[in-house]
Amino acid sequence: MSLAPTTAPAPGPDLTAELTGLADALRRAGVDIPAGAARAAVVALAALAQTPGPAAGEPSRAATYWATRLTLCSRPDDLAVFDEVFALWFDRAEWAGDVRRGVTLPTYRDVPVPGDQADAGDVEVASAPPTASRLEVLRHRDVAALDAEDRALVAHLLGRMAHRPAHRRSRRTRPGHHGRVDLRRVVREAVRTGGDPVHWPRRQRWPRPRRTVVLLDVSGSMRRYAETYLLFAHALVRSQPNAEVFSLGTRLTCLTRAFRSTDPQRSADEVARRVVDWSGGTRLGEGLAVFLDRWGRRGTARGAVVVVVSDGWERGDATLLGEQMEQLHRLAHRVVWANPNRARPGFAPRTAGLVAALPHVDAFVDGHSVAALEALTDEIAGSTRPGTAGGRRA
Amino acid sequence: MVDDLARVGYLADEGTATAAWLAWRTSRPLLLEGEPGVGKTSLATALAQVLGRDLVRLQCYEGIDASAALYDWDHPRQLLHVRALEAAGGVDADALEHDLWSRRFLLPRPLLRSLEAPSVLLVDELDRADDEFEAFLLELLSDFAVTIPEYGTVTAEVPPLVVVTSNRTREVHDALKRRCYYHWVEHPDLERETAIVRRSVPEADAALAAGVARVVARLRDEDLLKAPGVAESIDWARTLHALGATTVEPAAAARTLGAVLKYREDQQRVAAHLAELLAEPA
């Protein structure tokens, strides 16, 4: 094993404490350290110290580097942060800031809404029990123009939204009436009947859920819908285990893990920590290119139902957006574009972004109200609920 | 480990070699991620050669289940057995039951095979398998043992060296990552790639190998749908050599671009400024 000896400061006498400290520093810098990783690092370092050759005895900086990197990191995004923190840690420098500086994201309680000077604080939902008709009216209202109390109700409705995935036939089988003979059960029964199969149980292929991928535009022009779509995405990830959510702004961020918490507020905090380009500009084309390159082409988008949520205000190159949408359309099973502005009176898809993207979209739907989002869930599942707005094919 | 791997033709960098060595010494699976074509799969092959063990490969796909990955029963033979005993007269149901679910009717699939003899187990492209399968794999990777309901528990005498690869089409579960060393495999640097090409295509000119490595490195910086991997470098060098080229010269390169670039769009983009790409550094 050729681990070059270096003059780096060796870890102190208490290796475990030392490595636990490094793990803590990494955690503060935003790396998700797997549970028990510090212990694994100690084991790895001890194993490396046993190698014959220059690395024997005191662990070298190289040995320490690899022992900790291999155990404390768990995704490629961690590596750059790791290198930085590792260097600081060994130089005993103060950790100045967070590499992944999060910006404050509107929370579910206080989304800034134009024309809403009144209470942005907590609102008791129970203060005035909503009547069925009020809820029905609320379902069709544009969520960008609601007061705090109504927003709390909408949050409640969205939290309970039933997301159903689209389905496809799988290779897995279950006992059924058609399909191939289940020989395992034939043998079991043959034991009782002396080798004569009396009947032939079968296994059939069963439908499996398709993956749903949501690409959320988080640019400034979509700000007023942020809260709604975060709740929508939260409910989606909670009800479809293989769903994926990404934010698109000036860059692409994978948010799926942030939505794993059952508590919407904790999810929102986690999203805030991850999304660094919140309410910034829009470069949909570039973001999509990164998505297709890093995730989509390798399989995330293949055969999936991909939902793009955006008003299509593209600041970048609309030609690029068109090319990327064409790619996406080739990979995905269906591409659905939801636009909160679509329901506005006099709306026409005239922005350069929309003009470039819409030819490569299977459905172009509304996205401004609870009812529109319900229609969107039907669109994802591949069925259209009668009597709802939206769902018009592009 | 670097030298051991080099002996069997795998030129590893320090990180990859350290990761492999640790995985072997501490019986902890190694999770490899990286761009397609950086040599994740071939590391497992090389390790099997270094350790003198069998390579057991499990290619994952959507819908893979226990009977494809772990074991299955040889049902036709079981049925024959039942009938044969019946024909010979008097069947003792208990004894028959015991007989039927014994080792002789068990068909080991890759995972079980990797427990039965010292081996290197390659779980390739785990991200293609579904969640259920990952959970099931977890059990095996924790104690290197599997329980077959009708038969009993099979425990590995020598834990297999496990190499798991993923292309990051989805995030591998934390529970699995927690049990593995995580290593991100980079494209080799210019020097190493030249060495790899020379090793794989020894008949080609040294200048050709260096040229291919240089151009491929430049191609990776281009904005391509699919950046070429090491396998493409080797292919390209072999193709160019077959055409009688001793350097990467424009005419031959233009004709063989398909060996390196697998998308029509990429080929068009690169063909437009091929001469510039091929130019020797000043």
Side-chain angles (χ1 to χ4, degrees):
Chain A
M1 171 82 22
S2 77
L3 281 168
T6 59
T7 53
D14 191 354
L15 203 58
T16 309
E18 189 78 3
L19 294 181
T20 310
L22 175 62
D24 280 344
L26 281 164
R27 236 176 237 127
R28 282 201 301 280
V31 177
D32 292 322
I33 307 279
R39 212 172 50 107
V42 174
V43 172
L45 195 50
L48 282 180
Q50 287 167 12
T51 42
E58 281 281 87
S60 67
R61 182 167 179 146
T64 314
Y65 174 83
W66 285 111
T68 48
R69 190 183 123 162
L70 289 164
T71 44
L72 302 181
C73 294
S74 57
R75 50 188 59 87
D77 301 349
D78 294 345
L79 300 179
V81 185
F82 177 83
D83 283 355
E84 206 171 318
V85 173
F86 184 85
L88 286 170
W89 182 255
F90 273 85
D91 299 336
R92 289 292 181 272
E94 234 354 87
W95 176 244
D98 190 341
V99 174
R100 302 166 174 181
R101 268 174 296 272
V103 289
T104 359
L105 189 93
T107 71
Y108 290 117
R109 282 186 294 276
D110 48 46
V111 177
V113 174
D116 172 30
Q117 325 85 327
D119 46 5
D122 289 65
V123 174
E124 281 294 318
V125 181
S127 62
T131 60
S133 64
R134 182 167 163 231
L135 277 181
E136 190 52 32
V137 170
L138 202 55
R139 281 184 58 230
H140 295 278
R141 293 264 305 279
D142 190 323
V143 292
L146 297 180
D147 62 20
E149 192 181 338
D150 284 342
R151 284 207 309 282
L153 275 174
V154 162
H156 178 67
L157 287 178
L158 288 171
R160 290 178 26 196
M161 186 171 266
H163 281 280
R164 293 162 300 125
H167 282 87
R168 59 170 179 75
R169 265 158 63 86
S170 76
R171 300 179 49 125
R172 265 180 205 269
T173 59
R174 292 188 205 171
H177 294 296
H178 311 282
R180 298 169 72 162
V181 172
D182 185 353
L183 279 174
R184 192 188 184 98
R185 282 172 61 198
V186 171
V187 171
R188 288 202 160 281
E189 288 174 17
V191 174
R192 284 200 296 276
T193 58
D196 291 319
V198 178
H199 82 286
W200 298 94
R202 286 168 187 278
R203 293 181 73 85
Q204 71 190 73
R205 303 218 300 184
W206 216 256
R208 298 260 310 162
R210 279 185 188 279
R211 193 198 317 280
T212 309
V213 179
V214 177
L215 303 172
L216 278 181
D217 181 345
V218 294
S219 62
S221 58
M222 288 285 290
R223 198 186 60 232
R224 290 176 304 148
Y225 293 97
E227 174 196 23
T228 306
Y229 279 103
L230 290 184
L231 288 165
F232 178 82
H234 186 249
L236 176 79
V237 172
R238 301 269 314 135
S239 53
Q240 289 186 29
N242 59 355
E244 298 278 351
V245 180
F246 296 82
S247 72
L248 274 174
T250 52
R251 51 178 283 178
L252 178 92
T253 315
C254 178
L255 295 181
T256 312
R257 291 165 53 84
F259 289 114
R260 287 270 146 80
S261 166
T262 46
D263 176 9
Q265 190 58 55
R266 277 184 63 188
S267 288
D269 294 344
E270 185 61 27
V271 168
R273 206 168 64 81
R274 285 169 193 253
V275 179
V276 295
D277 53 344
W278 191 263
S279 277
T282 330
R283 286 202 291 274
L284 293 175
E286 284 166 44
L288 259 182
V290 174
F291 167 73
L292 288 172
D293 189 41
R294 275 217 227 138
W295 305 83
R297 208 169 293 117
R298 294 181 194 172
T300 308
R302 280 186 206 277
V305 177
V306 180
V307 182
V308 181
V309 180
S310 170
D311 54 9
W313 275 105
E314 171 70 321
R315 306 289 149 82
D317 179 5
T319 322
L320 177 66
L321 176 60
E323 280 171 20
Q324 300 303 322
M325 285 300 291
E326 190 181 351
Q327 276 269 338
L328 178 65
H329 195 225
R330 277 206 291 258
L331 286 170
H333 172 66
R334 298 194 68 218
V335 178
V336 179
W337 189 298
N339 184 345
N341 294 338
R342 189 174 175 275
R344 298 239 165 103
F347 170 83
R350 274 191 224 102
T351 61
L354 278 180
V355 169
L358 287 186
H360 313 295
V361 156
D362 294 298
F364 181 46
V365 301
D366 292 351
H368 64 294
S369 67
V370 173
L373 290 182
E374 284 168 356
L376 176 57
T377 63
D378 293 338
E379 196 64 56
I380 292 171
S383 62
T384 314
R385 199 178 294 189
T388 43
R392 204 197 314 155
R393 299 294 155 115
Chain B
M1 185 58 104
V2 171
D3 300 339
D4 291 335
L5 285 170
R7 216 168 298 130
V8 297
Y10 189 94
L11 305 179
D13 55 25
E14 181 183 281
T16 307
T18 309
W21 191 86
L22 275 176
W24 172 54
R25 285 304 294 263
T26 58
S27 295
R28 196 178 165 90
L30 177 58
L31 170 62
L32 296 177
E33 291 191 334
E35 299 297 321
V38 289
K40 303 188 289 289
T41 302
S42 50
L43 175 62
T45 320
L47 281 171
Q49 276 177 281
V50 167
L51 301 177
R53 293 183 177 186
D54 287 338
L55 175 72
V56 179
R57 177 176 174 157
L58 177 69
Q59 171 67 53
C60 296
Y61 54 86
E62 199 155 8
I64 189 171
D65 59 6
S67 68
L70 187 52
Y71 68 91
D72 206 351
W73 291 100
D74 191 344
H75 298 302
R77 278 192 58 206
Q78 284 176 318
L79 273 180
L80 274 176
H81 185 67
V82 176
R83 301 210 73 149
L85 286 187
E86 175 73 11
V91 181
D92 172 1
D94 279 349
L96 176 61
E97 186 86 24
H98 184 263
D99 244 20
L100 275 182
W101 310 107
S102 64
R103 184 65 185 82
R104 58 189 277 225
F105 294 112
L106 192 62
L107 298 173
R109 302 287 189 229
L111 293 182
L112 186 56
R113 280 214 311 278
S114 77
L115 297 181
E116 288 186 329
S119 62
V120 172
L121 170 64
L122 167 64
V123 181
D124 217 3
E125 305 188 330
L126 177 65
D127 49 334
R128 286 180 184 229
D130 35 32
D131 286 5
E132 294 100 316
F133 183 73
E134 211 172 299
F136 156 83
L137 195 63
L138 214 55
E139 201 185 322
L140 177 114
L141 295 185
S142 308
D143 0 323
F144 298 113
V146 292
T147 303
I148 301 170
E150 303 91 341
Y151 178 70
T153 303
V154 180
T155 312
E157 261 174 57
V158 182
L161 170 55
V162 183
V163 177
V164 181
T165 75
S166 155
N167 281 329
R168 278 183 70 72
T169 61
R170 65 177 175 81
E171 193 89 62
V172 171
H173 278 230
D174 285 350
L176 196 110
K177 285 186 164 175
R178 196 156 61 226
R179 286 172 175 80
C180 297
Y181 289 117
Y182 175 82
H183 184 52
W184 177 260
V185 187
E186 300 277 358
H187 282 297
D189 57 23
L190 200 57
E191 200 184 332
R192 182 167 294 117
E193 181 138 26
T194 308
I196 293 171
V197 172
R198 291 206 60 181
R199 247 201 126 97
S200 312
V201 197
E203 64 277 17
D205 221 78
L208 180 66
V212 164
R214 192 187 71 240
V215 178
V216 166
R218 284 187 190 170
L219 284 173
R220 286 186 193 133
D221 289 336
E222 295 271 307
D223 195 12
L224 298 176
L225 293 179
K226 161 86 177 71
V230 176
E232 277 77 32
S233 301
I234 295 171
D235 260 4
W236 202 25
R238 199 168 278 143
T239 314
L240 285 169
H241 175 71
L243 290 177
T246 52
T247 60
V248 189
E249 41 105 3
R255 282 168 58 199
T256 53
L257 221 44
V260 232
L261 302 175
K262 309 294 180 175
Y263 281 82
R264 195 174 53 91
E265 292 93 327
D266 286 351
Q267 290 179 17
Q268 284 168 345
R269 188 168 304 181
V270 167
H273 63 288
L274 190 61
E276 196 185 312
L277 268 171
L278 299 186
E280 293 278 342

